[in-house]
Amino acid sequence: MSRKLVKQLKNIKNENGRLNPDRSWVAQTRVKLIEDIKCNITNTEVNEEMVKTSVFDTISEGLHVFVSGRVLSMARSSLTILLVGAVAVSGWIASVSASYDSLPGEALYGVKMAAESTELLVASVIGSDEDEVTTILKHASSRVDEYQRSESTEQATVAIKSLKEKIESTQDSMDKVNGKSPEKVVAVAKVVEKKTSEILDSLTEPKEKERTIELKDIAPEVTKVQLKKDVVEVEALIQNAGIKAVGVLVENVNKEDVKESVITKKEVTDTINRRLDKLTEGVLKLDVTVVETSEKASSTIAIIKTTTTTKNIIGIEGAVGETASSTEMNSKQSTTSSTQDIVIKAVETEKKVVDAEQKVVVAEQKIGEANKIAETTKADVKILIEQDNFTAALQKIIELDTIKTETKVVVDEASIAVNIVEKVVVQDAKDLVVQEAIDASKINNIETVKVSSTEAVKIVE
Amino acid sequence: MLTCLNAIECNILTIFPSIYMKTHIEEKLLVYKVISKRDTEAFAKLYDFYIQPIYRFVFFKLSNREDAEDISSEVFLKTWDYLIEKPRDITSFRQLVYRIARNRIIDVYRERARKNECLIDVATETLVGNDLRIDIEVKEEQQDLIKSIKKLKHEYQEVIHLRYIEGLSTKDIAGILDISATNVRIIIYRATKKLKEFVEPKSPKKK
């Protein structure tokens, strides 16, 4: 626009007096406006008693007035990141390192959780989707470690529950990233596949310490059984997450628009083979568990037989007691009733043993089938991979996984049943021997004491 | 004599606004006083600074003195309420006061359209034809320029007024019209191009 025109436009407000307000009107309006406002303020004060503002509110209002909204929001974001970063760093230095080995319920465990939350927050704000998932799975690994090092069922339960949450949020993250570019989707899927496999390995291989802990754990049997069920559930969840990740990789390798730099057929082949190996290995481990359970069941039956022998001894000793004096008769009556209780208890236990035995038989059948399917799946998957039919290969793996999960449930049930029965049987046998010793001392029957001592030695052995 | 003094005062205010509002910070300080302490004196100072631009803005669009006065006083009352009720929503006092004025003008347009009292195009004639032409001595050149501006569509009139008559920045105009600064630049470019088309055929050079 020409300078002349701009000048003319500027002069409109200067030279055209009518375009400007009348001075007297300006002054009158000013007075009226201020009066109205003051009246308004007074009414507000009367009605609302003036809301008292804190120092922070005043500072906040001041910031809003002097600093533009965009700058303020940017500054706020930067400050938040800075503070979160500072907390994360300082926290790590001060106490996180100390709380690293803490277990659920311990004083420093809260610090550990807070540090993890901060770490996750920083990863989600600053990092990529891949970083976020990696952080979540890192925390999941920590939960597995805590589970393995737990000193009570309670601690183990807390760790497993937290692990479950972590795996669920991993799946959520995978779903969230689903609509994004193939590069991001594949990157996240790779992380999930790798990490879930590692976590599953750690979870299914308990450390030796756990066995010693079991002995001094005072938690009720129901809680322990529930924990085992939770562990099985989490294992299935982890396995599902891993298979889902493999599914994502297969889906993307089949897409024509996804470059080889993102995912190659070799990578998918390796992943599927690795999964298959893990599954067959899992089936083998179950087979070993079944054999161990079966052996345990056999030894339990041996104990039952021993207690039956003792019962017979009690019977003989009962016959001898008939010729004793009247005083001895009184003591004899009481001892006979207590030994009878034990005998009834032993009969009940025998029934439980039979049930457990049946479960073991079912488990043996199931594992036999699972072994066969595993072999067939191995052969099928090999052929399908050679044909580049990854989807069908994955389907086979999913089927084998389902079989394995079903078998694991049956095997675990048998194992739990045998363990419970074994404890009961051992306890019954101990009670019987102790009772026998007491009875023997009462009737001064040296022969019976000798027999009882022999039986006691046998049981202890 | 009084009219003359008024004119001088008005000119001083418009040419040297720093007399009343030395710095932008000072304006922010006044707004802060209003928000935090409900300081009426601070608001009165803001009124002193903005009453004339707002009046001009309203009058230019409504072309009626009484309406312009009523709307202008209403605008400041509404501005006070807004400052007290929604202090955190304010990014710029200038943008806020112009935006409230603009919204009020739109309301008046709607009322007029409903009542069929005075259509927008007629209002254009009123501005130039009645108040400006009859009451005040206006140079013929400026009168023609105002006529030309009034021929522009409302969007163009707004930006020409805010940018060249009031001297507002593109950022402020964007805030007032609630559009992007880039959009404002484009509208200004088109508006000035159109205005030139109306003005230049009458210029001596073209003749």
Side-chain angles (χ1 to χ4, degrees):
Chain A
M1 202 192 294
S2 67
R3 281 186 181 180
K4 192 188 168 191
L5 191 57
V6 173
K7 203 178 172 186
Q8 279 178 347
L9 284 166
K10 275 185 183 173
N11 286 339
I12 284 177
K13 67 176 174 187
N14 300 334
E15 292 180 23
N16 186 356
R18 191 58 184 168
L19 205 61
N20 289 309
D22 184 58
R23 193 176 180 246
S24 57
W25 173 82
V26 170
Q28 279 170 14
T29 311
R30 189 184 197 270
V31 173
K32 196 173 176 297
L33 180 76
I34 300 304
E35 274 175 11
D36 285 351
I37 289 170
K38 278 181 179 170
C39 182
N40 190 18
I41 292 172
T42 319
N43 288 339
T44 317
E45 279 174 359
V46 170
N47 294 333
E48 298 174 12
E49 293 179 0
M50 281 287 281
V51 180
K52 284 180 184 176
T53 52
S54 68
V55 179
F56 289 110
D57 285 340
T58 315
I59 292 168
S60 174
E61 278 169 1
L63 276 173
H64 271 90
V65 171
F66 289 100
V67 185
S68 82
R70 191 188 291 174
V71 172
L72 202 63
S73 65
M74 277 171 68
R76 192 190 288 148
S77 310
S78 311
L79 195 68
T80 310
I81 292 166
L82 201 71
L83 283 172
V84 166
V87 168
V89 172
S90 61
W92 185 85
I93 293 165
S95 52
V96 175
S97 56
S99 69
Y100 186 75
D101 291 331
S102 63
L103 291 168
E106 289 179 357
L108 283 174
Y109 193 71
V111 177
K112 189 180 179 180
M113 289 293 103
E116 281 188 2
S117 304
T118 314
E119 194 183 358
L120 186 60
L121 186 73
V122 171
S124 60
V125 172
I126 300 170
S128 60
D129 295 314
E130 193 185 334
D131 295 334
E132 193 182 341
V133 170
T134 309
T135 312
I136 295 170
L137 288 167
K138 192 180 119 191
H139 297 160
S141 298
S142 298
R143 294 299 86 77
V144 174
D145 180 53
E146 285 163 15
Y147 165 71
Q148 289 174 338
R149 292 188 299 112
S150 58
E151 290 170 0
S152 67
T153 309
E154 202 180 322
Q155 281 183 341
T157 308
V158 172
I160 287 296
K161 275 186 183 166
S162 180
L163 174 64
K164 195 180 167 190
E165 282 167 17
K166 294 285 169 195
I167 300 299
E168 281 167 353
S169 61
T170 305
Q171 287 186 331
D172 289 345
S173 300
M174 276 177 74
D175 293 339
K176 210 164 65 185
V177 88
N178 211 11
K180 294 185 181 176
S181 67
E183 287 84 359
K184 285 182 182 174
V185 176
V186 169
V188 170
K190 278 181 183 174
V191 171
V192 173
E193 195 282 321
K194 194 182 166 207
K195 292 278 176 187
T196 49
S197 182
E198 287 170 9
I199 291 168
L200 204 59
D201 284 349
S202 314
L203 191 65
T204 49
E205 282 179 14
K207 287 174 185 171
E208 283 179 12
K209 196 183 171 188
E210 198 186 18
R211 293 182 184 278
T212 56
I213 287 156
E214 268 183 6
L215 296 172
K216 59 179 180 181
D217 195 4
I218 50 157
E221 201 58 42
V222 184
T223 319
K224 287 179 187 174
V225 171
Q226 185 57 45
L227 174 64
K228 282 187 179 170
K229 280 182 184 170
D230 288 346
V231 173
V232 172
E233 199 184 323
V234 169
E235 276 176 22
L237 261 180
I238 298 167
Q239 185 71 9
N240 283 346
I243 284 177
K244 198 176 171 184
V246 180
V248 171
L249 296 179
V250 169
E251 192 187 321
N252 279 283
V253 83
N254 287 334
K255 283 181 186 170
E256 285 178 5
D257 57 332
V258 177
K259 292 174 189 171
E260 282 216 339
S261 57
V262 178
I263 182 86
T264 60
K265 283 181 179 175
K266 195 182 175 302
E267 277 178 289
V268 176
T269 306
D270 290 347
T271 310
I272 288 176
N273 281 331
R274 203 167 51 241
R275 282 270 150 192
L276 185 63
D277 290 345
K278 293 267 176 205
L279 273 173
T280 46
E281 198 183 320
V283 174
L284 262 173
K285 277 181 185 170
L286 283 177
D287 203 355
V288 172
T289 314
V290 170
V291 171
E292 281 175 1
T293 313
S294 185
E295 279 173 4
K296 212 181 252 183
S298 305
S299 62
T300 313
I301 290 161
I303 295 170
I304 289 283
K305 279 178 183 170
T306 317
T307 49
T308 313
T309 318
T310 317
K311 276 187 291 180
N312 293 336
I313 294 162
I314 292 163
I316 297 159
E317 186 254 314
V320 173
E322 280 175 8
T323 56
S325 65
S326 61
T327 320
E328 283 171 338
M329 278 295 282
N330 292 334
S331 66
K332 180 70 193 162
Q333 277 169 0
S334 64
T335 51
T336 310
S337 64
S338 59
T339 47
Q340 272 173 355
D341 288 345
I342 291 166
V343 170
I344 291 162
K345 214 173 166 186
V347 172
E348 282 173 6
T349 313
E350 269 185 55
K351 281 181 188 171
K352 282 182 187 171
V353 171
V354 173
D355 288 344
E357 257 188 314
Q358 280 174 354
K359 280 186 179 171
V360 171
V361 170
V362 173
E364 279 172 346
Q365 284 171 357
K366 195 80 184 167
I367 195 70
E369 287 168 21
N371 273 327
K372 279 179 194 169
I373 293 166
E375 286 304 314
T376 323
T377 310
K378 245 183 168 181
D380 290 349
V381 166
K382 199 181 172 186
I383 296 163
L384 288 166
I385 284 176
E386 279 169 6
Q387 292 167 353
D388 280 354
N389 192 351
F390 298 116
T391 315
L394 182 64
Q395 191 54 41
K396 286 275 173 196
I397 286 177
I398 292 169
E399 283 167 15
L400 180 60
D401 181 52
T402 315
I403 301 284
K404 192 204 138 193
T405 312
E406 285 170 9
T407 313
K408 189 170 169 48
V409 172
V410 174
V411 171
D412 283 348
E413 270 180 13
S415 174
I416 290 167
V418 170
N419 279 339
I420 291 170
V421 164
E422 187 194 26
K423 279 179 189 170
V424 173
V425 167
V426 168
Q427 192 58 45
D428 281 2
K430 277 180 186 171
D431 290 348
L432 189 65
V433 171
V434 171
Q435 188 60 47
E436 188 59 24
I438 294 164
D439 294 350
S441 65
K442 278 179 183 172
I443 61 171
N444 296 319
N445 191 335
I446 297 161
E447 281 302 312
T448 315
V449 171
K450 274 182 185 173
V451 172
S452 300
S453 305
T454 319
E455 292 306 321
V457 169
K458 274 184 187 174
I459 288 163
V460 170
E461 276 173 356
Chain B
M1 184 66 185
L2 191 65
T3 320
C4 184
L5 280 172
N6 281 348
I8 292 165
E9 173 90 0
C10 290
N11 290 343
I12 287 169
L13 284 174
T14 48
I15 298 165
F16 305 109
S18 57
I19 292 170
Y20 277 79
M21 192 71 62
K22 282 178 185 172
T23 59
H24 187 60
I25 296 292
E26 199 177 317
E27 178 189 308
K28 296 268 183 192
L29 198 65
L30 291 172
V31 172
Y32 174 69
K33 281 182 179 176
V34 171
I35 290 170
S36 60
K37 297 173 185 171
R38 301 193 179 183
D39 188 341
T40 49
E41 280 308 307
F43 190 72
K45 281 180 184 172
L46 288 166
Y47 167 88
D48 290 341
F49 184 66
Y50 280 104
I51 184 63
Q52 292 193 46
I54 291 299
Y55 177 88
R56 278 197 297 268
F57 182 63
V58 178
F59 181 66
F60 198 84
K61 297 200 100 185
L62 296 181
S63 315
N64 181 294
R65 189 181 165 179
E66 283 76 29
D67 282 350
E69 285 177 353
D70 289 348
I71 300 295
S72 301
S73 56
E74 260 181 56
V75 164
F76 279 92
L77 206 58
K78 275 181 185 284
T79 307
W80 168 270
D81 290 342
Y82 198 93
L83 285 172
I84 301 303
E85 284 166 18
K86 296 172 183 174
R88 282 164 194 253
D89 293 357
I90 298 154
T91 49
S92 156
F93 182 82
R94 179 181 293 166
Q95 289 175 21
L96 172 73
V97 75
Y98 269 103
R99 223 167 31 236
I100 290 173
R102 192 169 172 263
N103 290 339
R104 193 65 194 90
I105 290 163
I106 291 167
D107 290 344
V108 173
Y109 280 170
R110 283 183 189 143
E111 281 167 28
R112 282 180 181 178
R114 202 167 49 238
K115 289 176 185 172
N116 253 347
E117 272 182 0
C118 181
L119 293 173
I120 294 157
D121 292 338
V122 181
T124 310
E125 287 302 314
T126 317
L127 173 67
V128 183
N130 300 332
D131 290 330
L132 293 181
R133 195 183 294 163
I134 297 163
D135 295 348
I136 304 294
E137 282 185 8
V138 186
K139 284 179 184 175
E140 196 183 335
E141 198 180 43
Q142 284 183 347
Q143 199 176 319
D144 289 343
L145 183 59
I146 292 170
K147 273 184 180 178
S148 301
I149 295 169
K150 285 292 172 183
K151 282 179 192 169
L152 296 170
K153 64 176 184 177
H154 277 268
E155 192 184 28
Y156 291 174
Q157 282 183 35
E158 255 180 349
V159 291
I160 291 286
H161 181 96
L162 295 170
R163 183 77 186 98
Y164 295 109
I165 299 177
E166 298 301 339
L168 298 190
S169 69
T170 317
K171 190 185 158 193
D172 279 335
I173 298 170
I176 294 163
L177 304 182
D178 199 20
I179 52 176
S180 70
T182 317
N183 214 345
V184 169
R185 278 188 211 104
I186 293 165
I187 297 170
I188 290 173
Y189 171 76
R190 286 177 185 159
T192 49
K193 202 179 166 189
K194 200 77 189 166
L195 185 64
K196 265 165 88 177
E197 280 175 21
F198 291 134
V199 173
E200 284 188 351
K202 291 176 184 176
S203 67
K205 277 181 187 176
K206 291 273 173 186
K207 282 171 186 175

